[in-house]
Protein backbone atom coordinates (compact mmCIF):
# COMPACT_ATOMS: atom_id res chain seq x y z
CA UNK A 1 0.00 0.00 0.00
CA UNK A 2 1.52 3.31 -1.05
CA UNK A 3 0.82 6.33 1.16
CA UNK A 4 -0.21 9.61 -0.38
CA UNK A 5 2.55 12.08 -0.97
CA UNK A 6 2.33 15.08 1.32
CA UNK A 7 2.96 18.43 -0.37
CA UNK A 8 6.15 20.08 0.78
CA UNK A 9 7.44 16.91 2.36
CA UNK A 10 10.62 15.47 0.96
CA UNK A 11 11.87 12.10 2.00
CA UNK A 12 15.41 13.46 1.80
CA UNK A 13 18.24 12.84 4.15
CA UNK A 14 18.18 14.80 7.39
CA UNK A 15 21.34 15.11 9.43
CA UNK A 16 23.03 12.39 7.40
CA UNK A 17 20.25 9.88 8.02
CA UNK A 18 18.91 7.64 5.28
CA UNK A 19 15.77 8.58 3.39
CA UNK A 20 12.41 7.17 4.36
CA UNK A 21 11.07 4.56 1.95
CA UNK A 22 8.67 6.10 -0.59
CA UNK A 23 5.72 4.27 0.98
CA UNK A 24 6.22 5.80 4.44
CA UNK A 25 4.90 9.29 5.12
CA UNK A 26 6.70 11.16 7.92
CA UNK A 27 4.73 11.25 11.16
CA UNK A 28 5.99 14.61 12.45
CA UNK A 29 5.06 17.55 10.26
CA UNK A 30 6.16 21.15 10.18
CA UNK A 31 3.47 23.80 10.57
CA UNK A 32 3.38 24.35 6.81
CA UNK A 33 3.21 20.61 6.12
CA UNK A 34 0.44 20.17 8.70
CA UNK A 35 -1.55 23.00 7.10
CA UNK A 36 -1.15 21.41 3.67
CA UNK A 37 -2.01 17.96 5.07
CA UNK A 38 -5.26 19.37 6.48
CA UNK A 39 -6.09 21.04 3.19
CA UNK A 40 -5.89 24.55 4.58
CA UNK A 41 -5.17 27.15 1.91
CA UNK A 42 -2.94 29.15 4.24
CA UNK A 43 -0.90 28.56 7.38
CA UNK A 44 -2.99 31.27 9.02
CA UNK A 45 -6.15 29.26 8.33
CA UNK A 46 -4.48 26.24 9.93
CA UNK A 47 -3.53 28.37 12.95
CA UNK A 48 -7.23 29.23 13.23
CA UNK A 49 -8.09 25.53 13.30
CA UNK A 50 -5.57 25.04 16.11
CA UNK A 51 -7.01 28.01 18.08
CA UNK A 52 -10.55 26.65 17.63
CA UNK A 53 -9.48 23.18 18.78
CA UNK A 54 -10.28 21.52 15.45
CA UNK A 55 -6.77 20.08 15.37
CA UNK A 56 -4.21 19.86 18.17
CA UNK A 57 -1.21 22.11 18.52
CA UNK A 58 2.38 20.96 18.07
CA UNK A 59 3.90 18.16 20.11
CA UNK A 60 4.98 19.58 23.47
CA UNK A 61 8.47 21.03 23.34
CA UNK A 62 8.63 20.95 19.53
CA UNK A 63 7.51 22.82 16.47
CA UNK A 64 6.15 19.63 14.87
CA UNK A 65 2.62 18.30 14.52
CA UNK A 66 1.80 14.61 14.91
CA UNK A 67 0.07 13.41 11.75
CA UNK A 68 -1.80 10.71 13.69
CA UNK A 69 -3.04 13.22 16.26
CA UNK A 70 -4.35 15.39 13.42
CA UNK A 71 -6.06 12.35 11.87
CA UNK A 72 -7.65 11.41 15.20
CA UNK A 73 -8.87 14.95 15.85
CA UNK A 74 -10.41 15.17 12.38
CA UNK A 75 -11.94 11.69 12.72
CA UNK A 76 -13.56 12.73 16.01
CA UNK A 77 -14.69 16.06 14.56
CA UNK A 78 -16.27 14.40 11.52
CA UNK A 79 -18.05 11.79 13.65
CA UNK A 80 -15.94 8.81 12.60
CA UNK A 81 -14.81 8.32 16.21
CA UNK A 82 -17.83 9.59 18.10
CA UNK A 83 -17.22 7.23 21.02
CA UNK A 84 -13.50 8.00 21.32
CA UNK A 85 -12.12 9.11 24.63
CA UNK A 86 -10.97 12.73 24.91
CA UNK A 87 -7.51 13.69 23.67
CA UNK A 88 -4.85 14.40 26.25
CA UNK A 89 -5.29 18.14 25.65
CA UNK A 90 -9.04 17.86 26.29
CA UNK A 91 -8.46 15.74 29.40
CA UNK A 92 -5.91 18.21 30.77
CA UNK A 93 -8.25 21.13 30.11
CA UNK A 94 -11.08 19.38 31.95
CA UNK A 95 -8.85 18.47 34.92
CA UNK A 96 -6.87 21.71 35.20
CA UNK A 97 -6.90 23.70 38.37
Amino acid sequence: MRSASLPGIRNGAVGGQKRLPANIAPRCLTRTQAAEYCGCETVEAFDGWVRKGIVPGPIAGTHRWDRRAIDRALDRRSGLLSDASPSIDEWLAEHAG
Side-chain angles (χ1 to χ4, degrees), residues 35-72:
E36 291 173 353
Y37 182 71
C38 289
C40 295
E41 292 188 22
T42 65
V43 173
E44 292 74 20
F46 176 73
D47 291 343
W49 282 24
V50 172
R51 279 192 305 276
K52 293 176 186 175
I54 296 170
V55 294
I59 299 166
T62 74
H63 296 285
R64 300 287 176 157
W65 275 256
D66 184 328
R67 182 175 40 84
R68 290 185 188 169
I70 291 171
D71 288 341
R72 186 173 188 276

Side-chain angles (χ1 to χ4, degrees), residues 1 5 7 24 28 36 38 45 48 56 60 71 78 86:
M1 181 169 134
S5 174
I24 298 177
C28 295
E36 291 173 353
C38 289
D71 288 341
S78 67

